[in-house]
Amino acid sequence: MKEIRNKDGLTEKEFLAQYKPGDYKRPSVTTDVLMIGMNENYTKMKILLIKRGNHPFMGCWALPGGFVNENETAHQAAARELEEETGLSGVYLDQVYTFSKPGRDPRTWVITIAYLALISELQEVKGLDDAEDAAWFDLKFTEEEIKISSEEKAVNIVYNLKKEVFYNGVLRYENYIPTLKSQDALAFDHVEIIIEALKKLRRQIKYSSEAFCLVDETFTLPELQAVYETVLGQKLYKKSFRDMISEHVVETGEERSSRTPNGRRCKEYRFKREE
Amino acid sequence: MKEIRNKDGLTEKEFLAQYKPGDYKRPSVTTDVLMIGMNENYTKMKILLIKRGNHPFMGCWALPGGFVNENETAHQAAARELEEETGLSGVYLDQVYTFSKPGRDPRTWVITIAYLALISELQEVKGLDDAEDAAWFDLKFTEEEIKISSEEKAVNIVYNLKKEVFYNGVLRYENYIPTLKSQDALAFDHVEIIIEALKKLRRQIKYSSEAFCLVDETFTLPELQAVYETVLGQKLYKKSFRDMISEHVVETGEERSSRTPNGRRCKEYRFKREE
DNA sequence: ATAATAGTGTCTATCAGACATTATCTG
DNA sequence: CAGATAATGTCTGATAGACACTATTAT
């Protein structure tokens, strides 16, 4: 059965034994991870950036990431990088998009597979390896602009967003194109990666359960609603939200105050798995 | 401003001039395209496969695809391959997922970026380049199995599907794992690519307008409904479907019979672009 | 005429949006 | 008690599901 011979008269086994990869050029393949958490009272999204310690974009802030090795999947590579940089494992990690625009890395040909990671608690981070520094940044994402800032690091990165129309088959699509407005900038095409990852998160959080990755194991409904509102960038009606979410949560039986001052104590909930 | 020097005392310009890519191993990067069309009366999905003319998987059917070049994006590479193989351009083309499991290609380390393409009319195809043959196959995708067959080519490929549970962060996910049941098989991990692409198409067609890429420029509502039903693999209620779709179509003023025998003549419609 | 399909009307259950009311907590 | 937040009730409008009825065509 496996004795089929090709035009050079080789069987599959013989073919593989003599196979030599051609000398056409190959790209480096990396993963970049947008890691998202929330601040203490769920009013802001926080993202993890590292400060580049070498050229190119030396001194600029960038997404953590690294090369994919031959003996691992891109998903494993992203998880490994994340664990190396933050000590976290078992976090939510989802492939977003693969970026391959020529020239996106001035050194050489690099294709990057972007991942979105969600965590419920911000860990202390410090720069390791090539990174001169690492920190959690505030993220603001609206129709008009994307703003990434850290008071502690005295960094303020702002891009204006303009909608651009393109066609895919007969369908019309809109895309954000960012224009740098601040002194500080992100390295490479990392703004675009962040934008795509945020768009994906917003699309998914409504119909899936990603939000539960951003809160503690137990949470109150006002806290959970705050997560949705912050991620989506819009207010939600309390009753509608609770109706929508009710089938995915169960009461723990406990009560406690929410992460906001004042007011009545809340029931505590836990995520309810399907089936 | 650009005069920052790194630990070797180099400016960015000097760094890039002396930069040599390390000698760590790099993968080949390819695109694979699942091209989907419909049969004459929209009752079946059709996919384009090519027959491999060399090892590995010589004689097996596979997705069309090819290497990404340094001067193009993966999207452009997929479009180029498609045009080379079918003469089609301007079709709907959407990135699905990047596959990177070690050993997925027995020759060497290959990472592939999968694309989904949709077309409204099946073109005559013939094998070019490495492909010994090319043909449109019938596709059947249910909860239990995926079946890819061609009467003309006397090929019948069947995989059973079993649901597998895995966890991503706190969330529970289900995945299909295919098991080959037929004599004939697809090359590489192309079943998995097809499954992922179909899942994505089903997710998207409800909330987006991909279906319009699968019909002619003008169409009747029974035809459009047939496309939805075939892609989703379930019957839809006529009235609900028409209510849902009504804001995205306009009458052309013409009338004609649908692509099914008998019955009353239909109003003809056209896709209505937003704004 | 009859079978088959096209097109539309209508009832119901559900649910998001919107607002109001009651309950409980802090100071 | 006042102000704030939590929890829940209720009304409305939109919509998917389900079924029925009328209109038009081929045989």
Side-chain angles (χ1 to χ4, degrees):
Chain A
M1 181 60 216
K2 276 288 182 192
E3 280 306 308
I4 303 171
R5 291 175 184 276
N6 70 5
K7 60 184 193 299
D8 300 322
L10 299 176
T11 64
E12 177 153 10
K13 189 174 275 184
E14 289 162 358
F15 171 86
L16 290 174
Q18 63 83 51
Y19 180 81
K20 278 191 282 296
D23 47 13
Y24 48 79
K25 215 176 160 195
R26 298 163 176 228
S28 297
V29 174
T30 61
T31 61
D32 284 311
V33 180
L34 178 65
M35 193 161 181
I36 298 187
M38 309 288 295
N39 69 344
E40 187 61 26
N41 56 359
Y42 301 113
T43 54
K44 280 179 183 170
M45 281 193 276
K46 293 277 194 173
I47 68 173
L48 181 65
L49 296 178
I50 57 143
K51 189 173 182 178
R52 292 186 52 78
N54 196 358
H55 297 304
F57 298 102
M58 184 172 167
C60 284
W61 292 85
L63 295 175
F67 291 98
V68 178
N69 297 325
E70 190 173 6
N71 60 349
E72 63 185 0
T73 63
H75 191 282
Q76 287 163 348
R80 175 177 53 74
E81 290 286 339
L82 217 56
E83 188 159 5
E84 283 171 17
E85 307 221 23
T86 68
L88 282 168
S89 65
V91 305
Y92 175 89
L93 198 56
D94 194 27
Q95 194 184 110
V96 172
Y97 194 79
T98 298
F99 293 81
S100 56
K101 193 157 64 195
R104 53 173 296 283
D105 188 314
R107 286 168 297 187
T108 178
W109 183 19
V110 181
I111 290 175
T112 195
I113 307 170
Y115 281 81
L116 172 66
L118 302 178
I119 51 157
S120 60
E121 223 164 332
L122 305 186
Q123 310 274 315
E124 275 289 318
V125 287
K126 47 178 178 253
L128 298 165
D129 285 331
D130 235 24
E132 190 181 302
D133 200 358
W136 288 99
F137 281 67
D138 291 335
L139 171 69
K140 205 184 119 201
F141 180 47
T142 67
E143 287 284 295
E144 294 83 31
E145 67 166 28
I146 184 164
K147 186 167 160 186
I148 293 152
S149 57
S150 163
E151 221 171 289
E152 185 199 343
K153 303 291 176 185
V155 174
N156 199 42
I157 302 168
V158 181
Y159 291 85
N160 278 4
L161 299 176
K162 215 182 79 188
K163 274 191 184 157
E164 179 202 39
V165 174
F166 71 98
Y167 292 89
N168 191 355
V170 301
L171 306 185
R172 180 183 190 274
Y173 281 83
E174 287 185 346
N175 228 348
Y176 292 113
I177 46 172
T179 321
L180 183 63
K181 281 293 155 181
S182 56
Q183 196 72 28
D184 302 317
L186 290 173
F188 306 103
D189 54 358
H190 287 188
V191 215
E192 288 162 46
I193 296 179
I194 292 173
I195 292 170
E196 278 312 308
L198 288 173
K199 278 163 63 182
K200 172 148 186 176
L201 177 59
R202 284 192 174 172
R203 273 198 311 269
Q204 294 213 156
I205 201 170
K206 285 190 204 165
Y207 303 105
S208 187
S209 307
E210 276 80 358
F212 296 105
C213 299
L214 290 166
V215 291
D216 291 339
E217 203 189 325
T218 62
F219 49 84
T220 69
L221 294 189
E223 285 166 359
L224 189 63
Q225 183 170 351
V227 169
Y228 274 84
E229 291 179 344
T230 303
V231 168
L232 292 171
Q234 59 179 304
K235 281 277 166 194
L236 301 175
Y237 288 93
K238 189 159 45 168
K239 186 56 167 34
S240 313
F241 174 75
R242 289 162 110 100
D243 288 349
M244 171 187 89
I245 218 68
S246 62
E247 54 187 340
H248 300 117
V249 297
V250 269
E251 300 182 14
T252 65
E254 299 295 306
E255 276 200 357
R256 63 178 179 81
S257 4
S258 244
R259 293 201 182 182
T260 41
N262 261 1
R264 179 172 162 181
R265 292 161 65 80
C266 300
K267 289 184 191 166
E268 209 179 50
Y269 289 83
R270 188 185 301 281
F271 176 51
K272 182 165 117 197
R273 283 229 176 84
E274 328 286 294
E275 281 153 288
Chain B
M1 182 58 218
K2 276 289 182 191
E3 280 305 310
I4 302 170
R5 290 175 183 276
N6 70 3
K7 60 184 194 299
D8 301 321
L10 299 176
T11 65
E12 176 152 10
K13 189 175 275 183
E14 289 161 0
F15 171 86
L16 290 173
Q18 63 84 53
Y19 179 82
K20 277 193 282 295
D23 46 13
Y24 46 81
K25 214 174 162 197
R26 298 164 176 227
S28 296
V29 174
T30 62
T31 60
D32 284 311
V33 180
L34 177 66
M35 192 158 181
I36 298 186
M38 308 288 294
N39 69 344
E40 187 62 24
N41 56 359
Y42 301 113
T43 54
K44 281 179 183 171
M45 281 193 275
K46 293 277 194 173
I47 68 173
L48 181 65
L49 296 179
I50 58 144
K51 188 172 183 178
R52 292 186 52 80
N54 197 357
H55 296 304
F57 298 101
M58 184 169 166
C60 283
W61 293 85
L63 295 175
F67 291 97
V68 178
N69 296 325
E70 190 173 7
N71 61 348
E72 64 185 359
T73 63
H75 191 282
Q76 286 163 350
R80 175 177 53 73
E81 291 287 339
L82 217 55
E83 188 161 4
E84 283 172 17
E85 308 222 22
T86 67
L88 283 167
S89 63
V91 306
Y92 175 88
L93 199 55
D94 195 26
Q95 195 184 108
V96 172
Y97 194 78
T98 298
F99 293 81
S100 57
K101 193 156 62 196
R104 53 174 297 283
D105 188 314
R107 285 168 298 188
T108 178
W109 183 20
V110 181
I111 290 175
T112 195
I113 308 170
Y115 281 81
L116 171 67
L118 302 178
I119 52 156
S120 60
E121 223 164 331
L122 306 187
Q123 310 275 315
E124 275 289 319
V125 287
K126 48 177 177 256
L128 297 166
D129 284 332
D130 235 22
E132 192 181 301
D133 200 357
W136 288 99
F137 282 67
D138 291 335
L139 172 69
K140 204 186 121 201
F141 179 48
T142 67
E143 287 284 296
E144 294 83 31
E145 68 167 28
I146 184 164
K147 184 166 161 189
I148 293 151
S149 56
S150 162
E151 222 171 290
E152 185 200 341
K153 303 291 176 185
V155 174
N156 198 42
I157 302 168
V158 182
Y159 291 85
N160 276 5
L161 299 177
K162 215 183 81 189
K163 274 190 183 159
E164 179 202 39
V165 174
F166 71 98
Y167 292 90
N168 192 354
V170 301
L171 305 185
R172 180 182 190 277
Y173 281 84
E174 287 185 347
N175 228 348
Y176 292 113
I177 47 174
T179 321
L180 183 63
K181 282 291 155 184
S182 57
Q183 196 72 27
D184 301 316
L186 290 174
F188 306 104
D189 54 357
H190 287 186
V191 215
E192 288 162 46
I193 296 179
I194 292 173
I195 292 171
E196 279 312 308
L198 288 173
K199 279 164 62 181
K200 174 150 185 174
L201 176 59
R202 284 192 173 171
R203 272 198 310 271
Q204 293 212 154
I205 201 171
K206 285 190 203 163
Y207 303 105
S208 187
S209 307
E210 276 80 358
F212 296 104
C213 298
L214 290 165
V215 290
D216 290 339
E217 203 188 326
T218 63
F219 48 84
T220 68
L221 294 189
E223 285 166 359
L224 189 63
Q225 182 170 352
V227 169
Y228 274 84
E229 291 180 343
T230 303
V231 168
L232 293 172
Q234 58 179 299
K235 283 275 165 196
L236 300 176
Y237 288 94
K238 189 160 46 166
K239 187 55 166 36
S240 311
F241 173 76
R242 289 163 110 98
D243 287 350
M244 173 187 87
I245 218 69
S246 63
E247 55 187 339
H248 300 117
V249 297
V250 271
E251 299 182 14
T252 64
E254 299 295 306
E255 275 200 357
R256 62 178 180 81
S257 359
S258 242
R259 292 202 183 180
T260 42
N262 262 1
R264 180 173 162 181
R265 290 162 66 79
C266 299
K267 289 186 193 166
E268 209 180 49
Y269 289 82
R270 187 186 300 280
F271 176 50
K272 182 164 117 196
R273 283 231 174 81
E274 326 287 293
E275 280 152 290

